Amino acid sequence: MNFHPQILIDASYLLAAFLFIYGLKRMSSPVTARSGIVVAGWGMLIAVLASFLYVFSVEEAAKPHLVVNVVLAAVALLLGLGWAWRSGKKVEMTAMPQMVALYNGMGGGAAAAIAAVELLKPSAEYTLIPLVVTIIGALIGGISLSGSMIAWAKLDGRINGTWRIKGQQALNGVVFLATLALGLFIAFAEHGHAPVILTAAFFVGALIFGVLMTMPIGGADMPVVISLFNAFTGLAVGFEGFVLQNPALMIAGMVVGSAGTLLTLLMAKAMNRSVANVIFSNFGAAGDEQQGEIKGSMKPVDAGDAGINMRYASKVIIAPGYGLAVAQAQHKLYEFVKLLQDAGVEVKFAIHPVAGRMPGHMNVLLAEAGVPYDIIYDMEDINGEFKEADVAIVIGANDTVNPAARTNKSSPIYGMPILNVDQAKQVYVVKRGQGKGYSGVENELFFADNTNMVYGDAQKVMVAMTQAVKSLDGGGH
Amino acid sequence: MDTATTITGFVALYIFMLAAFTGYEIIGRVPSILHTPLMSGSNFVHGIVVVGALYALLNATTLPEQIIGFFGVLLGAGNAAGGYVVTERMLQMFKASDKKKA
């Protein structure tokens, strides 16, 4: 029997597809999540190694170039792997969302590159369906590449502010339709053998649209957009997989395409917005919404006093926001929490779905500080418990605890689910200054009778609270 | 080649349909505490695109194809490796109370 490398390749892809799905399944529970990514990693390694068996079955025309191509492939693999491995090891946990955007854009670019190589082949004979699928995959991949780069640059602070012009949506629409029309022209009229300049124009159009689509979107909405581009890249990979007749790409791409779409919808829902609203509206631009009259005043309190009060409480719930991570105060916070736990106080963390930069980001940041995940609760699970809490402490969060979302119909955040911290007997709000949240809405929680403000850098405040409790208990031990 | 499989229109649609349901079911039941690692994990999974880029590069016949193929493999490898590293880093931090740090 002859040596059939294709059987080995096919078997490896089947195994890889199984390991990806099994790995993702394991990733869906915190207990097994770690092993899930390792399982999926083995799938990737097997698939990549098996791909080098293609050297035994390259097309006749490519044979004279085989040595050069293999060297190029090895160099590209090592460069990409080496760079990404290093950057992935170095990145701060707070910068995780933009890093995911960057890697995701690279995947979209790879999908577009596959399409470009297919379209450039002078000798190829195309049939219509694969050709149209190639074009659509290329369009989505190109948009994902340039859009993700903009998302990365924005979250990383390399592009500041939003870029909006009059008639922007009309412009975007024209660019998109022109690019799509050009792509379909290449497929239907030119049968894939369009002049290179037209093909190039098609790819440039896709890239420009990705930029135009992402530029007007504000930084706070970016996670939804990144998740959307993640789904886009998945679809692009799935489509190019069909063109290459590669079931591993088809399955992995489509699994991510649908999972990413669902995740995008969940994120948008948690922010009380629709995906269309995130992409097409200019949220946060109109800052002068009608404000309801706010009664009462902000009452500052000393950090030490607040700390001691919590030491004598029986139940404390902590509502952290991104401000906690910006101040890098998670470790100091957990130190304080352990002190409270040692004193017999029941401490729980309440996580709003959009705390941090994207859903689950705050959990990652707390996990980094060593906070065990079983004292961290999702909003739906803990919102009923605030009534029984002696103290609720809000650290670096604002809009996610604003009662205006329940009551003030003119507020831009009206209808967004919030943490019910205002129902606790005593509320402390740790805050740098008197600023507003990203929605630009004044927070009536800060003026409530049962609320006291602890002003200062979150890290210093946590240290002050810890010291106050320690000096109190110091004599007793 | 006699062993090569051909995936035509409807077979492709079956594969896409089943894969889409699979992805939906996996994410639908995940607690939101894992959304960030899972987004990153699914980002890693579509890094499989590197395999397609490898195929395209190995079959390249002209210089432009080689250049684009090279960048395709480079980007795909970055997607896969970067996605793996950051996901693994995030997930290894999740610990339960009773399991004290070793």
Side-chain angles (χ1 to χ4, degrees):
Chain A
M1 191 179 149
N2 290 328
F3 174 55
H4 284 309
Q6 190 65 38
I7 293 180
L8 263 179
I9 294 176
D10 285 341
S12 309
Y13 287 170
L14 179 66
L15 184 59
F18 166 75
L19 290 175
F20 285 157
I21 293 172
Y22 181 61
L24 276 175
K25 183 76 204 150
R26 286 188 78 81
M27 270 186 252
S28 63
S29 154
V31 186
T32 55
R34 169 86 201 283
S35 66
I37 182 68
V38 176
V39 165
W42 280 110
M44 188 70 74
L45 190 65
I46 290 168
V48 170
L49 290 179
S51 300
F52 274 94
L53 291 173
Y54 283 135
V55 295
F56 294 110
S57 60
V58 289
E59 289 155 22
E60 208 54 47
K63 280 200 172 136
H65 307 279
L66 192 57
V67 175
V68 178
N69 287 350
V70 169
V71 171
L72 283 178
V75 171
L77 262 185
L78 289 178
L79 276 182
L81 185 119
W83 172 81
W85 199 274
R86 275 188 50 148
S87 60
K89 285 279 181 204
K90 272 201 316 215
V91 61
E92 300 279 340
M93 283 298 151
T94 43
M96 212 45 98
Q98 55 263 46
M99 218 54 202
V100 173
L102 193 59
Y103 297 140
N104 177 57
M106 294 174 81
I114 293 173
V117 171
E118 291 302 307
L119 289 172
L120 278 175
K121 283 205 184 300
S123 56
E125 282 168 34
Y126 302 106
T127 42
L128 192 58
I129 292 176
L131 197 53
V132 172
V133 173
T134 307
I135 294 281
I136 293 175
L139 180 61
I140 300 173
I143 294 171
S144 178
L145 169 63
S146 61
S148 297
M149 292 301 150
I150 299 293
W152 165 77
K154 282 195 161 197
L155 282 180
D156 216 45
R158 281 157 210 263
I159 300 178
N160 288 316
T162 48
W163 182 81
R164 293 178 184 128
I165 54 168
K166 268 207 172 125
Q168 187 157 28
Q169 280 169 30
L171 174 68
N172 289 6
V174 168
V175 171
F176 178 76
L177 289 177
T179 308
L180 183 67
L182 186 55
L184 294 179
F185 176 77
I186 292 170
F188 283 92
E190 305 274 351
H191 308 289
H193 294 290
V196 175
I197 187 83
L198 277 188
T199 312
F202 164 71
F203 280 97
V204 171
L207 292 176
I208 291 178
F209 178 74
V211 173
L212 288 178
M213 173 184 161
T214 319
M215 280 308 277
I217 300 171
D221 285 340
M222 222 31 101
V224 179
V225 178
I226 294 173
S227 179
L228 186 70
F229 285 142
N230 189 36
F232 274 16
T233 302
L235 286 178
V237 170
F239 288 163
E240 298 308 332
F242 170 68
V243 176
L244 296 178
Q245 294 280 301
N246 185 327
L249 261 69
M250 293 171 70
I251 293 172
M254 195 51 68
V255 165
V256 175
S258 97
T261 305
L262 180 60
L263 202 55
T264 310
L265 294 174
L266 288 175
M267 283 192 196
K269 196 175 141 210
M271 297 169 80
N272 194 34
R273 321 262 310 274
S274 71
V275 175
N277 183 257
V278 167
I279 293 170
F280 297 118
S281 88
N282 302 329
F283 191 69
D288 41 35
E289 294 285 334
Q290 215 182 335
Q291 295 281 331
E293 281 279 309
I294 296 180
K295 295 191 176 91
S297 60
M298 296 202 209
K299 300 166 287 295
V301 68
D302 179 66
D305 294 346
I308 289 168
N309 192 10
M310 279 185 268
R311 156 74 178 74
Y312 289 107
S314 62
K315 183 167 184 172
V316 172
I317 300 179
I318 301 170
Y322 191 64
L324 173 77
V326 172
Q328 286 292 317
Q330 309 95 291
H331 290 87
K332 301 283 179 220
L333 170 64
Y334 187 46
E335 232 174 84
F336 178 65
V337 166
K338 281 189 282 194
L339 210 57
L340 292 181
Q341 285 175 327
D342 289 344
V345 183
E346 185 189 5
V347 184
K348 289 182 175 179
F349 284 85
I351 309 291
H352 190 276
V354 293
R357 276 285 175 268
M358 55 185 179
H361 191 203
M362 186 51 67
N363 304 75
V364 172
L365 296 169
L366 290 175
E368 189 191 14
V371 180
Y373 61 77
D374 45 15
I375 63 168
I376 303 176
Y377 293 83
D378 285 351
M379 182 177 68
E380 307 95 78
D381 296 330
I382 201 162
N383 250 351
E385 292 190 33
F386 280 102
K387 291 191 287 292
E388 307 146 21
D390 301 293
V391 178
I393 174 165
V394 177
I395 308 171
N398 194 337
D399 293 329
T400 55
V401 294
N402 191 344
R406 286 199 296 255
T407 54
N408 184 353
K409 285 196 179 161
S410 66
S411 169
I413 60 167
Y414 178 73
M416 179 172 89
I418 58 158
L419 292 168
N420 298 331
V421 288
D422 56 325
Q423 294 172 357
K425 294 185 189 83
Q426 168 73 52
V427 181
Y428 291 121
V429 177
V430 179
K431 219 170 165 304
R432 279 189 83 85
Q434 306 193 345
K436 297 169 182 175
Y438 89 79
S439 67
V441 185
E442 197 68 79
N443 194 336
E444 25 182 287
L445 173 75
F446 301 165
F447 299 88
D449 289 339
N450 59 341
T451 301
N452 286 100
M453 307 297 290
V454 185
Y455 289 118
D457 170 72
Q459 208 179 117
K460 291 194 178 112
V461 167
M462 295 330 297
V463 171
M465 287 181 176
T466 307
Q467 276 168 354
V469 173
K470 267 188 181 158
S471 62
L472 190 73
D473 292 344
H477 286 283
Chain B
M1 178 173 288
D2 52 331
T3 54
T5 43
T6 314
I7 305 165
T8 50
F10 271 102
V11 180
L13 287 177
Y14 279 116
I15 293 179
F16 281 149
M17 178 187 74
L18 292 172
F21 270 110
T22 307
Y24 185 91
E25 282 300 313
I26 289 174
I27 297 280
R29 296 175 193 177
V30 171
S32 67
I33 72 161
L34 281 171
H35 276 173
T36 292
L38 216 72
M39 176 160 134
S40 170
S42 61
N43 178 42
F44 160 72
V45 166
H46 68 51
I48 187 70
V49 69
V50 68
V51 166
L54 275 171
Y55 176 85
L57 176 56
L58 291 176
N59 284 295
T61 52
T62 62
L63 188 62
E65 287 174 40
Q66 286 175 322
I67 294 173
I68 297 172
F70 178 83
F71 280 105
V73 174
L74 183 77
L75 293 172
N79 181 183
Y84 180 84
V85 172
V86 297
T87 310
E88 204 263 353
R89 271 185 64 199
M90 282 193 266
L91 288 176
Q92 71 172 357
M93 296 184 312
F94 282 89
K95 292 190 175 72
S97 292
D98 46 1
K99 242 195 290 173
K100 290 284 176 214
K101 266 182 261 178

